[in-house]
Amino acid sequence: MSSSKLDASTLEQGSKRRSFPGNKDVAKGPGESVAITASTNQVSQAPTFRAKKQASWYSKVVKREWPLIGLLSTGTAMVVLNQVIADQDIADSSVHVLAWVKYGALYLAACLAARGAPASAHHTREQNTLMAIIGLSDVCAYAANCLGVAFCGAALAALILAGTQQVITGAMSYFLLGRRLNPRQMLGVAIVCLGLALQGLAPEPALAAGLTTAPTPALSGWSLVKLVGVACMLLSSAAYSFLGVSYDLLVRSEGPTPTHSEVMFCTAKIGLAVNTLYQLLWTLPQWDVLVTKHMAKHDTPVWYAAVLLLAFGALFHFHSYVQGLVFRTEGAVGVALVNAIRGGTVSLLTGTLFCSSAAPHRCVSAWTACSAAVETAGGVTWLTATHKVGN
């Protein structure tokens, strides 16, 4: 009696309808195997799983590398916008209006961030000192850069800055931070230097970094003035490298790490104070000559100039934010490498947008294209050496 009841119960349970993912209302009899149904379902769903896994891998890579991509993109866009502003001839090159806009935008953004954020923690004396050093280094680097471009020309100045910054940054990181590059990272830096050298060997180097609109003297025929310009560019490169290493030290310091807004607020205060003093002593007494006549010469509306300057300030703020992320993830060497690669990218883009018979030095040449390709290969080598694929 109990045996017949057990058999009836077994048959009743075996006749129940079971539901599996992707295979609804599948009957499971007493002799059927669930493993067969599940494996069939997995085979049918394999392409979907593979596509989802690949999409997830791409999203991870983009999420991981977006600060580097953003730093390269915003830096390139900033140079192009700089060239557009320069073509409008808003003011004399000695006014350095973009420097004032740059520090003003940083100061305004930092003030807005401070109002919307909770009160920051108390920072140590070491952290406050490092933030002051970062601000002073930025101002000194920019001033030396302007002098170097004026004395040795934009093309040579850009090559010196892009070629030496990563070398000096690597040396400072080794001696001050104890950070060593692995062989593949060193290979990436060497490949980027090779790309810069190819650009320097070009008969007429293209605009590599868009640092200024000042006329570029011929690269042949060294003079004392040009040597002073080279020295200024080396000083600018060292100051930018020291800025990056100081940022690394700030991130590693004891205590709550200052936010990027706090670091930029300190930099903006120093830069805005120095630049405002310069404008009061130099630009304001000669306003008609340095500003009014230049705008009248090209019939540039005031509103259009204001829109361009505001756009540059907003773009620079985002560029600074992304650069802070790269400093915290890749270190100073990573920032220097992206800035070097940007030279080739800018050469191709400015050659496409601003090439003309009146400005043949902006046109894309075989040397420029080859240099950009080599620099990009160096950047890819650095990334594959720094990050494991899939992590």
Side-chain angles (χ1 to χ4, degrees):
M1 183 71 179
S2 60
S3 175
S4 61
K5 287 183 178 180
L6 179 63
D7 293 339
S9 175
T10 305
L11 291 174
E12 182 180 359
Q13 292 178 2
S15 63
K16 288 183 178 180
R17 316 282 297 177
R18 298 292 180 91
S19 177
F20 298 95
N23 192 6
K24 296 181 179 179
D25 297 329
V26 177
K28 177 192 169 189
E32 293 177 347
S33 173
V34 180
I36 297 176
T37 306
S39 61
T40 306
N41 181 65
Q42 290 177 357
V43 171
S44 63
Q45 296 295 326
T48 304
F49 292 155
R50 216 176 294 119
K52 289 182 177 179
K53 185 177 180 181
Q54 189 175 18
S56 176
W57 183 83
Y58 281 124
S59 65
K60 287 182 180 179
V61 171
V62 172
K63 184 178 180 180
R64 184 189 66 198
E65 307 296 354
W66 84 263
L68 293 172
I69 299 173
L71 182 62
L72 179 62
S73 302
T74 55
T76 303
M78 219 167 43
V79 172
V80 173
L81 183 57
N82 186 2
Q83 190 62 55
V84 172
I85 295 174
D87 290 343
Q88 300 301 316
D89 199 15
I90 296 174
D92 187 78
S93 59
S94 64
V95 174
H96 300 298
V97 62
L98 292 183
W100 194 85
V101 172
K102 157 188 167 180
Y103 292 118
L106 287 181
Y107 184 82
L108 179 60
C111 289
L112 293 176
R115 291 185 60 184
S120 59
H122 178 70
H123 300 304
T124 63
R125 179 179 298 181
E126 178 189 4
Q127 290 174 334
N128 290 326
T129 302
L130 286 172
M131 285 192 287
I133 290 175
I134 290 173
L136 291 173
S137 298
D138 187 85
V139 174
C140 292
Y142 184 81
N145 185 18
C146 293
L147 292 174
V149 169
F151 289 147
C152 69
L156 181 59
L159 291 174
I160 294 172
L161 184 64
T164 60
Q165 187 179 353
Q166 49 188 329
V167 177
I168 297 176
T169 302
M172 286 186 177
S173 297
Y174 177 79
F175 289 108
L176 298 179
L177 303 175
R179 176 175 293 176
R180 294 174 175 82
L181 302 180
N182 62 48
R184 290 186 66 183
Q185 287 176 321
M186 295 178 65
L187 177 61
V189 173
I191 293 175
V192 172
C193 289
L194 175 61
L196 294 170
L198 290 176
Q199 192 172 6
L201 292 174
E204 293 183 357
L207 184 64
L211 299 174
T212 185
T213 57
T216 303
L219 296 183
S220 59
W222 290 88
S223 63
L224 180 61
V225 174
K226 186 175 290 187
L227 289 175
V228 172
V230 171
C232 289
M233 291 310 304
L234 291 175
L235 178 61
S236 176
S237 179
Y240 278 127
S241 299
F242 191 63
L243 184 156
V245 173
S246 299
Y247 209 119
D248 275 354
L249 289 173
L250 180 64
V251 173
R252 297 182 177 194
S253 61
E254 296 182 359
T257 304
T259 64
H260 183 68
S261 296
E262 291 173 323
V263 179
M264 290 299 99
F265 183 63
C266 183
T267 300
K269 286 191 295 184
I270 297 174
L272 191 60
V274 173
N275 198 266
T276 301
L277 181 62
Y278 174 82
Q279 301 297 342
L280 292 174
L281 296 178
W282 173 259
T283 306
L284 194 58
Q286 308 177 76
W287 182 267
D288 290 338
V289 176
L290 299 179
V291 179
T292 305
K293 289 185 178 180
H294 278 264
M295 295 186 67
K297 181 179 179 181
H298 292 270
D299 197 21
T300 305
V302 176
W303 68 267
Y304 183 61
V307 169
L308 290 177
L309 294 178
L310 288 174
F312 182 86
L315 184 60
F316 182 84
H317 168 65
F318 185 67
H319 174 76
S320 174
Y321 170 75
V322 178
Q323 182 175 260
L325 295 179
V326 177
F327 269 131
R328 294 169 185 262
T329 56
E330 301 292 331
V333 179
V335 174
L337 193 74
V338 172
N339 290 336
I341 297 173
R342 187 181 66 188
T345 306
V346 168
S347 296
L348 294 177
L349 197 56
T350 54
T352 303
L353 298 177
F354 303 107
C355 178
S356 64
S357 57
H361 63 282
R362 298 179 185 173
C363 299
V364 178
S365 64
W367 288 91
T368 304
C370 182
S371 172
V374 173
E375 291 170 14
T376 303
V380 172
T381 303
W382 169 274
L383 288 180
T384 56
T386 306
H387 303 292
K388 292 182 180 180
V389 177
N391 288 345

